[in-house]
Amino acid sequence: MAAPSPGPREVLAPSPEAGCRAVTSSRRGLLWRLRDKQSRLGLFEISPGHELHGMTCMMQAGLWAATQVSMDHPPTGPPSQDDFSEVLTQVHEGFELGTLAGPAFAWLRRSLGLAEDDYQAALGPGGPYLQFLSTSKSKASFFLSHDQRFFLKTQGRREVQALLAHLPRYVQHLQRHPHSLLARLLGTRLRTYFIVMQSVFYPAGRISERYDIKGCEVSRWVDPAPEGSPIVLVLKDLNFQGKTIKLGPQRNWFLRQMELDTTFLRELNVLDYSLLMAFQCLHEDERGLGSSLIFRTARSVQGAQSPEESGVQNRRLLPDAPNALHILDGPEQRYFLGVVDLATVYGLRKRLEHLWKTLRYPGRTFSTVSPARYARRLCQWVEEHTE
């Protein structure tokens, strides 16, 4: 972890003016949780009566209040060691919620050009969250803000501790590589542990295909939805066979940034992360290097520690669009790209899992391998599937 905590602060949280009072989630019984998952894949509004409505109301109220603190006390400079280890506990009506490393995340949001009032409005009680039921084997719950701009995921305590331990180096990496493909983590909360990040798939209106890529084959197939189905599926490696990411002149940048980001994750001893991808056909007036593309030198050099260090930054053309850091425009398609799930450390449990999978899947590729091999294999997958 970072420096020892100076001690948690506890405050009485302000109440959001607009509406969603936190209530205790009622248990809907076993049948609710055991519905056929395949028929419900996709996005669902968490309205009153949903089993998770009470929990998400508490998340909204907690995030609104925690963001208000950072608005009232904005960061004045890069985060200190105390900022990385701060725990702020806010007392709400009927529950408490802790914010971990709040000043550090507030500084990171500001460095991304994200206005705190926009962040608060999207994640606060202005509209219901959306539940995303995925094909992931994870026990985590996945949510989107009502505008689908921000992604929330419940996490285990071990994963959150790993994220906080790596947070200073993560912030430093984003300073050195402002165009990094790593998911932008925006906050961590304590009660049921959950994290907030920018959604890689935003804006989602015209997205036609979504993929979660790990560079292996075991358990990496998803049965596609029937043609014309409204089900939102995130497909996997084996579904991508025979397809190519056509980036044109942007390909070299993409390969280099994947190398930089996976090298960083390898140094953290992290594995099992995914490259998220989505496709969107460009309209005729969006194709080519026209007025819709700008070169953001200011963002590229932001955070450089010295003139020499700016040479390690991997600058690129950014589309003049929302979520530009996760978007690459090829000749005919727009690609949404981001590396997510950055908290799995290659410890004893993963080493034993590697041994077991080696015996169970001889000659086949699976996700639980050493961080060095994992990074190398994912970069190789990207090189083989791009042009």
Side-chain angles (χ1 to χ4, degrees):
M1 298 288 287
S5 171
R9 291 194 290 143
E10 183 172 306
V11 299
L12 183 65
S15 297
E17 294 179 0
C20 181
R21 181 180 295 273
V23 295
T24 304
S25 177
S26 62
R27 300 192 177 278
R28 300 286 296 178
L30 187 61
L31 289 178
W32 180 288
R33 294 185 291 275
L34 296 183
R35 282 182 181 177
D36 181 10
K37 184 178 180 181
Q38 184 67 29
S39 67
R40 300 174 62 224
L41 288 170
L43 293 175
F44 298 87
E45 185 176 292
I46 302 177
S47 53
H50 191 290
E51 63 171 347
L52 297 175
H53 182 254
M55 185 179 82
T56 56
C57 279
M58 288 188 279
M59 293 167 69
Q60 288 181 313
L63 284 165
W64 190 97
T67 307
Q68 189 62 46
V69 171
S70 66
M71 292 169 67
D72 294 339
H73 306 282
T76 56
S80 65
Q81 287 291 88
D82 286 349
D83 291 335
F84 283 113
S85 56
E86 180 180 288
V87 180
L88 172 66
T89 301
Q90 292 178 295
V91 181
H92 298 262
E93 185 178 343
F95 71 99
E96 296 180 358
L97 187 138
T99 299
L100 309 177
F105 282 114
W107 181 86
L108 182 56
R109 293 193 295 270
R110 172 178 283 193
S111 74
L112 295 172
L114 177 58
E116 291 290 78
D117 53 351
D118 288 344
Y119 182 73
Q120 185 185 57
L123 290 165
Y129 284 171
L130 306 174
Q131 182 184 19
F132 179 62
L133 294 175
S134 77
T135 54
S136 170
K137 293 184 177 180
S138 168
K139 296 180 180 178
S141 296
F142 304 90
F143 309 102
L144 285 164
S145 58
H146 63 86
D147 60 0
Q148 301 188 39
R149 186 178 179 186
F150 301 106
F151 187 82
L152 302 94
K153 179 183 178 182
T154 60
Q155 295 265 223
R157 181 173 182 172
R158 182 185 291 108
E159 287 77 15
V160 169
Q161 288 176 334
L163 283 174
L164 292 176
H166 298 151
L167 186 58
R169 294 182 66 182
Y170 168 82
V171 169
Q172 184 182 51
H173 180 78
L174 295 186
Q175 282 185 280
R176 297 185 66 188
H177 306 286
H179 296 176
S180 168
L181 291 161
L182 298 184
R184 295 318 197 262
L185 305 177
L186 304 174
T188 307
R189 300 292 182 264
L190 169 64
R191 188 177 185 275
T192 297
Y193 287 96
F194 66 96
I195 61 171
V196 184
M197 68 187 80
Q198 283 184 312
S199 174
V200 174
F201 300 152
Y202 176 83
R206 288 158 43 202
I207 288 178
S208 58
E209 298 176 69
R210 297 169 174 83
Y211 292 89
D212 176 311
I213 301 296
K214 291 183 182 287
C216 59
E217 59 181 353
V218 172
S219 300
R220 303 304 296 166
W221 169 263
V222 172
D223 290 332
E227 187 173 352
S229 170
I231 292 175
V232 177
L233 280 179
V234 179
L235 304 174
K236 298 185 179 181
D237 300 64
L238 296 180
N239 299 95
F240 199 80
Q241 288 183 341
K243 298 176 185 276
T244 304
I245 307 168
K246 298 180 180 180
L247 294 173
Q250 300 271 38
R251 179 176 184 265
N252 287 340
W253 178 88
F254 182 44
L255 297 181
R256 175 59 176 157
Q257 194 59 54
M258 282 295 297
E259 179 185 353
L260 290 167
D261 289 336
T262 57
T263 296
F264 168 68
L265 295 173
R266 183 192 69 204
E267 292 172 352
L268 296 183
N269 202 34
V270 166
L271 73 158
D272 220 17
Y273 43 89
S274 296
L275 172 65
L276 290 187
M277 301 189 306
F279 299 168
Q280 181 187 88
C281 285
L282 290 173
H283 291 155
E284 192 66 37
D285 60 354
E286 295 174 318
R287 298 178 183 180
L289 302 181
S291 59
S292 63
L293 293 174
I294 56 175
F295 196 71
R296 288 188 176 177
T297 304
R299 183 183 289 276
S300 296
V301 299
Q302 180 181 353
Q305 301 300 308
S306 66
E308 294 78 16
E309 196 169 280
S310 63
V312 305
Q313 298 187 31
N314 194 30
R315 294 179 292 181
R316 67 177 171 97
L317 290 169
L318 289 175
D320 188 14
N323 209 29
L325 289 172
H326 286 300
I327 290 174
L328 278 183
D329 281 348
E332 297 185 352
Q333 297 235 45
R334 169 163 287 180
Y335 299 94
F336 296 76
L337 300 157
V339 178
V340 301
D341 296 336
L342 313 177
T344 302
V345 176
Y346 193 55
L348 177 60
R349 192 169 75 171
K350 283 295 176 182
R351 292 173 189 272
L352 293 174
E353 185 179 329
H354 168 74
L355 178 60
W356 176 76
K357 288 185 176 180
T358 300
L359 297 174
R360 181 170 182 180
Y361 304 111
R364 301 182 66 191
T365 56
F366 46 83
S367 63
T368 311
V369 294
S370 71
R373 185 177 176 187
Y374 195 96
R376 183 170 59 251
R377 191 173 65 189
L378 188 57
C379 285
Q380 182 179 351
W381 187 97
V382 168
E383 186 166 0
E384 292 173 350
H385 290 82
T386 55
E387 62 181 46

